[in-house]
Amino acid sequence: MKRDIMIARLREERTPWDVLVVGGGATGLGCAVDAASRGLRTALVERGDFAQGTSSRSTKLAHGGVRYLRAGQFALVAQSLRERERLGVNAPELVRRVPFIVPAYRRHERAWYGAGLALYGVLAPSSGATRILSRDDVIARLPALRRRGLRGGVLYHDGQFDDARLALALARTAASLGAAVANYVRVGGLLKTSSRVSGVAATDLETGDTMEIPARVVINATGTGVDAVRRLDEAGAATMVRASRGAHIVLDTRFSPGDSAAMIPRTDDGRVLFMIPWRGRLLVGTTDTAAPDVTDDPAPTRDDVSFLIEHAARYLDTAPTVADIRSTFAGLRPLLAGSGRTSSLRRDHRVVVGRSGLVTIAGGKWTTFRLMAEHAVDHACEVAAITAPPSRTARLSLEATQYGGANDPVEAHALGRADGDEAIAAFTRDAARSGMARTVQDVLARRSRALFLDARAARALAPAVARILADELGRDQDWAAAQTKEFVETGARYLPPA
């Protein structure tokens, strides 16, 4: 993928695209793949980097949502589990099965949790059977778990993936299918012909150049930003989504060695707590705290971090402290608007078509992005009277991405494994040349996951990465210095609040 080629296509193509997607997160990229795989002329624009928002800040789980069983949302869980299995077919190198253990510290908890999770296993039989574990079984699988009062537990399986890597795989797949996909292109208005949406007015944020991108139909897939785009079309459009914040801390795996994850089904305020091995670290997180302010770069609050540290300490043999945190991050979930606490809102999705033909896809979650995209493109074809074959993404193999994994020298550096400067330089050059990385954050947060694994180590790499990017992108040393400063300031948001 080369950005200059993509920008040229967007700027020079005067024949309307069949489908134009606004938003380069999970759902938008899924829409681009779905439309392009049906043979439609497809374009996508994203105002930041691909997956820069929520789609790179998830809990890294492809799952049905155990907690939705408690709320009786069986259809949603079954749907999510079907999509989890399909994701394993789409990208087997990016999705893996992980054993989860629900520890039981009170009488009757094993039987209670076991009954609920047995239904989870029935809804997804390929995941493996749910098992009741003895105290010794739990300790063998999670030796760092607090033993005092432990009565046993329940074992089940779910899926894990690297969200940013999967998003980049989707972008590469869409491009390989002929779509024009471009990051750092901001939509400032909608084009209309006879009161019907017929494209967008956009700005290349690198050059400041404006362009008009014509299209037969526009899909608004901007996550927490869908209402802002809808109000470009109808100023008084009602609110469709409410944002909730998911907060996470990242610890060394010495706090919970082994390949199993732990799921605590009910914290003090009723939320679920996950403790999951991820890329050589332990990821501790929870979701669904109301987020009244929608920002591009949310961060956990001091209360979020205290909550996670306190609850992790209740279940780990060695209690972590703030000083043990390698990184923190938060993401905003776009939940369909409703009354009550955000933790009570459903994770369903909804497609809405405005009077002018703007197609909006809202709600949902990473696990169901493919189905969401299928539904959005179906509606888009209907709006634009496009004859197209049905979606073929259920079994579509995604393009492999070379970023992340065992061969990532930047990630290795963040984890404390020595890698030469030349390896890091080569990784950065490739990210710029074929991965559309345009900033230091693009390289250190999403092409590599260094910022999420160890914020201090990532900040130390910023000057070297900035110099290499400046050379690759034809920028001067003032640009490199500004990028370094910006990343150091951004990286501070990934450290626990002082």
Side-chain angles (χ1 to χ4, degrees), residues 132 162 202-203 208 243 254 259 261 362 367 397 412-413 420 479:
I132 302 294
D162 188 315
T203 302
R254 67 184 176 88
D259 294 330
T367 308
S397 294
H413 184 280
W479 181 90

Side-chain angles (χ1 to χ4, degrees), residues 380-423:
C381 289
E382 183 178 344
V383 166
I386 296 173
T387 301
S391 175
R392 54 183 290 257
T393 56
R395 304 195 64 81
L396 179 69
S397 294
L398 299 182
E399 289 281 320
T401 175
Q402 70 272 41
Y403 304 111
N407 297 321
D408 180 346
V410 183
E411 182 175 305
H413 184 280
L415 290 170
R417 301 193 302 268
D419 266 81
D421 292 343
E422 275 306 309

Side-chain angles (χ1 to χ4, degrees), residues 320-372:
T321 67
V322 172
D324 295 310
I325 296 175
R326 296 289 188 167
S327 188
T328 72
F329 65 92
L332 300 182
R333 276 72 169 160
L335 307 180
L336 292 178
S339 60
R341 297 171 57 186
T342 54
S343 58
S344 70
L345 298 182
R346 296 172 63 94
R347 295 303 296 269
D348 301 84
H349 64 270
R350 184 181 175 199
V351 181
V352 171
V353 178
R355 290 191 295 269
S356 64
L358 177 68
V359 177
T360 295
I361 174 73
K365 57 181 183 174
W366 240 120
T367 308
T368 58
F369 83 92
R370 189 212 63 83
L371 183 64
M372 294 170 65

Side-chain angles (χ1 to χ4, degrees), residues 219-376:
I219 297 177
N220 170 18
T222 53
T224 56
V226 294
D227 289 326
V229 174
R230 290 173 64 238
R231 286 163 189 155
L232 294 176
D233 180 31
E234 301 176 27
T239 297
M240 275 192 71
V241 301
R242 288 175 58 191
S244 73
R245 185 177 66 252
H248 306 80
I249 59 174
V250 180
L251 304 168
D252 288 332
T253 50
R254 67 184 176 88
F255 289 99
S256 184
D259 294 330
S260 295
M263 192 273 281
I264 310 302
R266 187 183 291 274
T267 59
D268 287 350
D269 61 3
R271 289 180 290 162
V272 170
L273 181 76
F274 293 102
M275 295 187 285
I276 310 167
W278 182 66
R279 312 198 67 77
R281 294 282 193 243
L282 179 69
L283 181 64
V284 180
T286 188
T287 58
D288 293 334
T289 300
D293 298 321
V294 175
T295 65
D296 290 336
D297 192 16
T301 65
R302 184 177 289 101
D303 287 346
D304 288 334
V305 173
S306 296
F307 178 93
L308 292 171
I309 284 287
E310 177 187 344
H311 279 76
R314 295 181 189 180
Y315 295 95
L316 298 178
D317 193 45
T318 301
T321 67
V322 172
D324 295 310
I325 296 175
R326 296 289 188 167
S327 188
T328 72
F329 65 92
L332 300 182
R333 276 72 169 160
L335 307 180
L336 292 178
S339 60
R341 297 171 57 186
T342 54
S343 58
S344 70
L345 298 182
R346 296 172 63 94
R347 295 303 296 269
D348 301 84
H349 64 270
R350 184 181 175 199
V351 181
V352 171
V353 178
R355 290 191 295 269
S356 64
L358 177 68
V359 177
T360 295
I361 174 73
K365 57 181 183 174
W366 240 120
T367 308
T368 58
F369 83 92
R370 189 212 63 83
L371 183 64
M372 294 170 65
E374 177 182 330
H375 290 167

